[in-house]
Each structure stands twice: as C-alpha cells, then as structure tokens.
Amino acid sequence: MNQNIQPDRSGHLEVGEQKIWWEYFGKGDREAVCLLNGLAMSTTAWYGFLPLLSDEYDVILYDFLGQGDSSKEDEPYFIDELARHLALIM
C-alpha cells in the first residue's frame, strides 16, 4: 500500500454480520466518482488513478465482499447485493 495516499474518510459498513471496507477521497462538496473493483482487486489498486481524478471529483472506493478488507464468507455473492452496499456507502 502506498503510505503517501490516505483517504479523507474510511471505515467498515456493517450489514448484518458482513463488513464492507470503503474509502472516500475528498470533502464531500463535489460530484463523486466511484471506481469499482474487478476480480481479485482491492481499493489500493486504484490509488494510481487518484491524481487523475482528484482535481475535479471526490472519489469513492470500496472492496466488494470477498475482497481486500471486506468480509470473506465462503458463500456466493450477488451483483444486486454489491450494488446495495454501494448505495448504503454513498
């Protein structure tokens, strides 16, 4: 992890027994862009893109269930569930 990059806010969204890791870069006074992970990614994979976006946008990153610092239950994950988590984070 790049130690020079730190989110302005971060934490775990708790949904039942699950914890979803999120990071917010910005003050919340601009339009926000959310970068979604691909397979086997985590929020830190997007850090190199932050300088390209941070002059105009706030940036939201989050780890899907099974990735990064989010819960990793051995069960299926569904896109509608992942989208619901993003809506709760926003």
Side-chain angles (χ1 to χ4, degrees), residues 12-84:
H12 281 104
L13 168 70
E14 294 188 24
V15 179
E17 297 294 316
Q18 300 171 325
K19 293 182 179 182
I20 297 91
W21 178 252
W22 61 271
E23 299 177 6
Y24 193 94
F25 295 85
K27 296 184 174 35
D29 58 350
R30 302 182 292 180
E31 191 171 7
V33 173
C34 180
L35 303 177
L36 301 175
N37 293 349
L39 292 174
M41 286 181 68
S42 70
T43 57
T44 57
W46 292 111
Y47 282 11
F49 291 89
L50 292 173
L52 302 172
L53 297 167
S54 61
D55 285 344
E56 294 183 46
Y57 301 99
D58 286 0
V59 178
I60 301 168
L61 306 175
Y62 82 107
D63 288 332
F64 297 145
L65 289 173
Q67 295 182 334
D69 289 325
S70 290
S71 297
K72 296 171 181 67
E73 288 87 4
D74 187 15
E75 59 187 43
Y77 304 119
F78 299 96
I79 292 174
D80 61 336
E81 180 182 25
L82 303 178
R84 184 173 58 86

